[in-house]
Amino acid sequence: MPEGEEEAPAAPTIDLPTLLGPSLKGQVLTAGEDGETMAFGDVQTSDALSEKNAIGIYFGTAASQELTENLKKSWSVFEEKGLQLVYVHCAGAEEEAAPAEGQEAAPAAALDEEAYAALCSAMPWLAVPLERPKEDLLTALGLAFEGEPLLAVLSIEGEVWTTNGVACLTEDPEAQQFPQGPWGGKPPGPPELTDHDFFEKLGVIAPEPGEAGIKGIFINSKNYITLNFVDQVEEDDDILFSGGKLKSYTIIQKSFVIDQVKKMGFASDFHPQQKDFEKYPLEDILLMFDPGKAYGDKIIWCTTEDAYNREMERINGLKQVIIDEHNAAWAAEHGGGGGGGGLAGQDEPEENIVVRDVPKDCKEWVSETAEATHSEVQTQTIGNSRPLLQVMITRPRAQFGKTTKYSDSGENLHNCRPQKDHNFAPPKKELEFGIQAVKETRTCACQTTWFRPVNKSTQYSPGDFLQPEADLGLDKVDELSLFLSAVSVGVEEALQTNETVDIFQEEFAHLGEEEAGAVTKTHSKLKEHPNFHDVTYTKGKRIEWVEWVPSSSDMVVSSCCENLPFTERLETSGKASVSTVLVWSFQDSLSPHAILVAPWEVTVFKFYPSDSKYLIGGLGNGQIAVWKLADADLGHAVRDKTSSQSARGNGLEEEKSSTIPTVSHKQISMIDESHRRAVLAIEFMPATIEVERRGKGASEKNPSDAPIKYFLTVAGDGQVMIWDFQSLLDAINDNDFLWRPVHRVQLQRQDSGTEMGLCHILHCHDRYDDKGNKLLSTFYASTEEGELVFGDWAARGEEDRKAEVVKKLHASSKTFRPMLSLERSPFFPDILLGVTDWAFYLFKDGLNDHLFQSSYNSIYYTRGVWSPTRPSVIFLGLTSGGIDIWDFSDQSHKASLSDTGASVAITSMIFCYHGDLMQEQKLAVGDAQGQLHIQNIPRNLIKPAGRELDNMRKFLDREENRVKYFQERHQELRDMKDNMEKAAQMAADAAAAEAGKGADDEDKADQIAESAYKKLEMECKELLG
């Protein structure tokens, strides 16, 4: 601004909505009997002024036809440029004519509503109602109506541009310069950027790694649209922020997060960090998109107020930069933002530039330091002074991988003394050369085993091994003499008849067999039947699964798997191989009775309960295979060797193909519809159950004597599949039959959403809900981390939530290792046995915690089974090959007996449930070296005591009461803690209130003392005059 020139005063601003009133008059589209027609009616002022840039107020009368016609001619231009014109009727001369001298005043010919409507209907703009006063508008604009029409133009914000609009219209009749030029309006500024424009220009604005107060959080992709991270869930090329393309940041409310966690619980994405959100001091929460996952997840948030303020300041700074760039670009495009920018650019002379496309001439490269470089390299280069030597070192093949033992014995020492030989004395030369530095060497040493013989001697005194004279028992010589006299006759007879007698045996030791608690009796050792193994099929393998042939106590089936480490198994994964399932007979323990061939390793198999000719097996690649066996294969009939040889085909070894028949699978499931990992458990469902379509539920529609139709399978991929075996039997000979599960569910962890690997499964047959309805779709399963899961494969999901298949999770047995066995007690259907590496657990159906946990064992467990005849006995296999026998009727803090089941680690155990179990009981034990052992259980571990079942039930009830007591006690302690915290908080608040009240009382006392002092002072002054 030039010196001495004062700044122009700001234009006045008028509150247009208040002066114009809530409504205006104009042409309105109304619906009538003849359809929609235009009629003169009310228009809301806010609607009339919306989306307008300026407003013109036209003061006139019925006689102002000339200005009206001029405005009509240019009205389309005004309307296109955002002008809203409002007509204000003022009383004209024809309405306020003064009476002639000597005549009476005639009544004013004021317009009525009908005439005013007819006048305004001829105008395409709006009008102020006739009854509304006009003086306020005139006063606000500083105008006075004297009969001539007036036109004032204002901005939509109420800033007055001009009050002489009639002259402006005369100068610019077609409104080409509006709102600039004579109209006095400002040029339009750049358009405002929307939030979508900001997000598009911002891009990724994640903070640098290591910033304080930043934390990652996992957000489900389906919740992005709820948090305003995307505009559409499905990815669309026409929509920028859709699918996985997220906005750079979003702001949510803390109350929204807390309410969602309370409503959804652990299903909410904010539940894992609920405490952090509760401690957050602000209401606004900043979420940012970090595709690099510098903080663990691609969604991060500010956990402190300082971090929030820092990041918002950075974001606002980036926004301001975008706004400045946008305004600068708009100004450059529109001639510098108005003023004279465009005209100034026209005054500059245009520069004439001529571009010629001429090929470039390549010149020879010239280096000033090339010769110096070549000479320096030549100086540092060492050339060979002689041709290279070729040396070949050989070693006998027999010494490859041979074990070598080093010894420091003095007998084998050989000295190598130096010898001088002038024929091989090399001439010495001096050579200056450079080498590149390398890392420093480090010297280390190790000590070998000491095999050197050393002489040692030990001297002792005989008195060291004798007890003191007080403990020699010399006073009991008479008792010993009486004892020897009593048994001497029996010993002499035994020696004469060549018999041995246990002179320490008690005559009544075997009486009282029916009494409970008698487990440590004589003859408690397991007796092994000749084991089964074969050099061709089982050497170097482990027995993965064992089953007894139904209705037979001398036929057993086992599957073998390779003992490969993880690296070798990884190399062979995905490659088909030949695996075998062997059928053994007690009549021939040297070779298998029959061989079942499978394309993959058989990890688990079971006989079909309704027809034992069918064997269902789970393979290592996740498929389900079915074999059909003949009666001769199961030992029910005598095999015809000639016919069996011609019918079976070639075996695995030509030498045994003529004697051992092989059976191939009849059907196998589709690999794409099967498990993704090895099948680990098969569970048959009751025959009465019928699964509804798509697994929506189950019902008992089938008769109880009907063949079993469905069975369940689980694997490490966390899927529970239901298979229809009846449909397979109908198409057992159809090679084009595609076998797939009728229903499948995926078990996921509720906290992280990851797959929950499964190991075992038990179907719940007799379980009822609170209303007494029988539950047919529930099951118990064990996980690869040692947990017990209670689920429902028919669970239904809601609109915004997935189906919750996992109903309950027992994490008390979690060892981060797979649960090795999950068995249901044959005497207590609601009691489950779960075996882990270190301990075993007893669970009760319906109880939230485990019923019993054993003490930790120094040797890892591998398997566990219930005794089929004794309710309180459990057999546990060990990695050392031993078997621990727990008898709860005897003791519950450690194993009652320990015996040997194999020489190496036990891999599988199963009892034979056929025949008279009270007379003969057999336990099949498979080990890690491919040997199958058959253990005969001693009589005292077969026959239960008289009150053993009742005592075991009392023991379980006592443990259940203990668990419930601790749960109730824990709840009482939690409630007591909450009450104590509330009482402490209330006491602190009361103390603070008392402290405030005491301060107020002290202030009042000070005021009273001050007033008394003032009064005493005044009295003293009056007395002193």
Side-chain angles (χ1 to χ4, degrees), residues 393-402 404:
I393 300 175
T394 60
R395 187 178 185 181
R397 176 68 180 178
Q399 297 183 7
F400 283 7
K402 186 176 180 181
T404 303

Side-chain angles (χ1 to χ4, degrees), residues 990-1008:
E994 289 293 336
K997 184 177 180 182
D1000 295 340
D1001 295 341
E1002 186 176 355
D1003 293 340
K1004 290 181 180 180
D1006 292 343
Q1007 292 177 1
I1008 294 173

Side-chain angles (χ1 to χ4, degrees), residues 305-528:
E305 184 177 358
D306 295 338
Y308 175 83
N309 295 333
R310 181 185 69 241
E311 296 302 323
M312 287 304 300
E313 182 179 356
R314 185 172 64 87
I315 292 173
N316 293 332
L318 296 175
K319 279 188 173 182
Q320 187 61 40
V321 172
I322 293 174
I323 293 174
D324 295 341
E325 293 177 353
H326 172 70
N327 294 341
W330 186 90
E333 183 179 355
H334 295 79
L343 298 176
Q346 296 177 1
D347 296 338
E348 297 180 359
E350 296 183 358
E351 184 178 359
N352 188 14
I353 300 175
V354 178
V355 179
R356 298 177 58 191
D357 189 6
V358 179
K360 188 175 182 180
D361 296 335
C362 298
K363 299 180 180 180
E364 183 180 358
W365 178 74
V366 179
S367 176
E368 298 179 356
T369 61
E371 296 180 359
T373 303
H374 288 311
S375 61
E376 183 178 355
V377 172
Q378 188 67 26
T379 303
Q380 299 294 334
T381 303
I382 301 175
N384 295 327
S385 59
R386 60 172 176 79
L388 299 178
L389 300 178
Q390 295 183 358
V391 179
M392 182 176 66
I393 300 175
T394 60
R395 187 178 185 181
R397 176 68 180 178
Q399 297 183 7
F400 283 7
K402 186 176 180 181
T403 303
T404 303
K405 184 172 71 173
Y406 297 93
S407 175
D408 60 347
S409 177
E411 299 177 359
N412 299 324
L413 293 179
H414 298 280
N415 295 328
C416 296
R417 298 180 180 180
Q419 298 179 0
K420 293 183 179 180
D421 190 350
H422 299 283
N423 297 326
F424 296 96
K428 297 182 180 179
K429 293 183 179 181
E430 289 185 2
L431 179 64
E432 182 181 356
F433 62 96
I435 60 173
Q436 185 177 0
V438 296
K439 293 183 179 180
E440 296 181 357
T441 59
R442 184 178 61 182
T443 303
C444 60
C446 63
Q447 184 176 0
T448 59
T449 306
W450 187 268
F451 291 102
R452 183 176 179 180
V454 178
N455 296 326
K456 290 184 180 180
S457 62
T458 303
Q459 185 176 2
Y460 65 92
S461 175
D464 295 340
F465 299 94
L466 298 178
Q467 297 180 356
E469 295 182 359
D471 298 334
L472 294 178
L474 299 178
D475 56 340
K476 298 182 179 181
V477 176
D478 296 337
E479 297 181 4
L480 178 61
S481 300
L482 293 176
F483 170 75
L484 295 176
S485 300
V487 300
S488 60
V489 178
V491 172
E492 185 178 359
E493 293 179 357
L495 293 176
Q496 292 177 356
T497 58
N498 197 18
E499 294 180 357
T500 59
V501 177
D502 185 7
I503 60 177
F504 299 100
Q505 179 182 359
E506 297 182 8
E507 298 295 338
F508 302 97
H510 297 288
L511 298 181
E513 293 286 341
E514 300 296 331
E515 295 298 328
V519 71
T520 56
K521 309 179 183 69
T522 58
H523 307 293
S524 298
K525 296 295 183 180
L526 302 179
K527 298 179 181 179
E528 183 178 354

Side-chain angles (χ1 to χ4, degrees), residues 533-789:
H533 67 279
D534 188 272
V535 177
T536 304
Y537 303 107
T538 64
K539 183 178 180 181
K541 301 182 180 180
R542 69 178 185 274
I543 304 299
E544 188 68 22
W545 196 264
V546 180
E547 287 286 337
W548 291 86
V549 175
S551 302
S552 176
S553 58
D554 57 357
M555 297 289 292
V556 66
V557 185
S558 64
S559 64
C560 306
C561 294
E562 294 288 344
N563 276 324
L564 296 179
F566 178 76
T567 55
E568 297 182 9
R569 186 173 293 274
L570 189 63
E571 294 177 357
T572 58
S573 62
K575 300 179 182 179
S577 60
V578 178
S579 181
T580 57
V581 178
L582 306 179
V583 181
W584 299 94
S585 175
F586 282 24
Q587 299 177 2
D588 184 8
S589 60
L590 299 179
S591 61
H593 185 74
I595 301 175
L596 280 62
V597 182
W600 291 83
E601 291 183 343
V602 181
T603 55
V604 62
F605 63 89
K606 285 190 177 181
F607 283 94
Y608 180 48
S610 300
D611 190 352
S612 60
K613 294 181 180 179
Y614 294 98
L615 184 70
I616 305 173
L619 306 184
N621 65 340
Q623 290 180 281
I624 305 297
V626 178
W627 291 268
K628 185 178 181 180
L629 306 176
D631 292 338
D633 298 331
L634 299 175
H636 300 325
V638 179
R639 178 185 293 117
D640 186 359
K641 294 186 178 181
T642 304
S643 61
S644 63
Q645 176 183 352
S646 60
R648 298 302 176 187
N650 295 329
L652 295 179
E653 187 177 354
E654 184 179 357
E655 182 181 353
K656 297 183 178 181
S657 61
S658 60
T659 57
I660 305 177
T662 59
V663 181
S664 300
H665 61 273
K666 297 290 291 185
Q667 286 288 353
I668 192 170
S669 63
M670 299 177 59
I671 189 170
D672 294 336
E673 299 291 338
S674 303
H675 291 282
R676 299 190 302 272
R677 294 178 62 181
V679 182
L680 298 179
I682 299 175
E683 175 74 2
F684 287 97
M685 301 174 66
T688 58
I689 291 182
E690 178 66 30
V691 179
E692 298 180 3
R693 186 180 181 184
R694 297 182 180 178
K696 295 182 179 180
S699 59
E700 292 185 324
K701 297 181 179 180
N702 301 328
S704 59
D705 56 350
I708 293 178
K709 188 174 182 181
Y710 300 101
F711 65 89
L712 303 170
T713 59
V714 295
D717 57 359
Q719 292 189 14
V720 178
M721 294 187 180
I722 303 177
W723 303 83
D724 187 357
F725 192 71
Q726 286 297 324
S727 62
L728 174 71
L729 293 180
D730 297 339
I732 191 68
N733 296 319
D734 187 1
N735 296 328
D736 297 332
F737 177 70
L738 301 179
W739 193 25
R740 55 171 60 92
V742 297
H743 181 58
R744 70 175 70 197
V745 291
Q746 179 69 55
L747 271 65
Q748 297 179 344
R749 297 193 175 275
Q750 298 174 349
D751 52 354
S752 60
T754 57
E755 294 179 355
M756 183 182 294
L758 303 179
C759 301
H760 306 86
I761 187 170
L762 293 177
H763 182 260
C764 299
H765 304 311
D766 300 325
R767 186 179 176 87
Y768 298 86
D769 57 8
D770 299 336
K771 299 180 181 179
N773 300 324
K774 191 172 184 180
L775 301 177
L776 302 175
S777 58
T778 57
F779 61 89
Y780 276 100
S782 61
T783 69
E784 291 183 343
E785 295 188 4
E787 303 155 316
L788 182 64
V789 176

Side-chain angles (χ1 to χ4, degrees), residues 828-1023:
F828 307 101
D830 56 346
I831 301 299
L832 305 179
L833 168 64
V835 181
T836 61
D837 287 342
W838 300 329
F840 69 89
Y841 299 81
L842 297 183
F843 300 92
K844 183 173 182 180
D845 189 7
L847 203 61
N848 295 329
D849 201 356
H850 62 274
L851 200 65
F852 175 80
Q853 176 184 352
S854 69
S855 58
Y856 292 117
N857 196 11
S858 59
I859 304 175
Y860 287 165
Y861 293 120
T862 58
R863 282 294 185 270
V865 291
W866 289 93
S867 171
T869 55
R870 293 198 57 182
S872 60
V873 175
I874 298 175
F875 291 79
L876 300 171
L878 304 175
T879 55
S880 62
I883 298 178
D884 280 355
I885 305 173
W886 284 67
D887 189 350
F888 288 100
S889 63
D890 177 37
Q891 56 188 5
S892 60
H893 65 283
K894 65 177 182 179
S896 300
L897 294 174
S898 296
D899 207 333
T900 302
S903 59
V904 293
I906 294 176
T907 57
S908 58
M909 293 172 57
I910 188 171
F911 273 99
C912 178
Y913 291 91
H914 314 302
D916 188 1
L917 299 181
M918 300 305 295
Q919 297 297 329
E920 184 180 14
Q921 197 174 112
K922 298 177 182 178
L923 176 64
V925 179
D927 61 18
Q929 289 185 351
Q931 295 189 6
L932 180 59
H933 308 266
I934 305 298
Q935 302 289 347
N936 292 323
I937 307 301
R939 183 176 179 82
N940 65 318
L941 294 177
I942 298 177
K943 190 175 182 181
R947 296 184 299 274
E948 182 176 347
L949 183 62
D950 296 335
N951 292 338
M952 185 62 182
R953 182 179 288 108
K954 292 178 181 179
F955 170 77
L956 296 175
D957 294 341
R958 185 170 63 253
E959 293 297 320
E960 181 179 0
N961 294 333
R962 178 187 60 82
V963 172
K964 291 182 178 179
Y965 168 75
F966 276 102
Q967 291 178 350
E968 294 174 357
R969 186 58 179 166
H970 287 165
Q971 184 63 34
E972 292 177 0
L973 293 177
R974 284 193 293 266
D975 296 342
M976 184 184 299
K977 180 180 178 182
D978 296 340
N979 295 334
M980 292 176 64
E981 291 178 354
K982 291 180 181 178
Q985 184 64 32
M986 293 175 63
D989 297 341
E994 289 293 336
K997 184 177 180 182
D1000 295 340
D1001 295 341
E1002 186 176 355
D1003 293 340
K1004 290 181 180 180
D1006 292 343
Q1007 292 177 1
I1008 294 173
E1010 183 68 21
S1011 61
Y1013 173 76
K1014 293 288 186 182
K1015 184 178 180 181
L1016 180 61
E1017 184 181 7
M1018 293 298 296
E1019 292 177 355
C1020 291
K1021 288 182 179 180
E1022 290 178 357
L1023 292 175

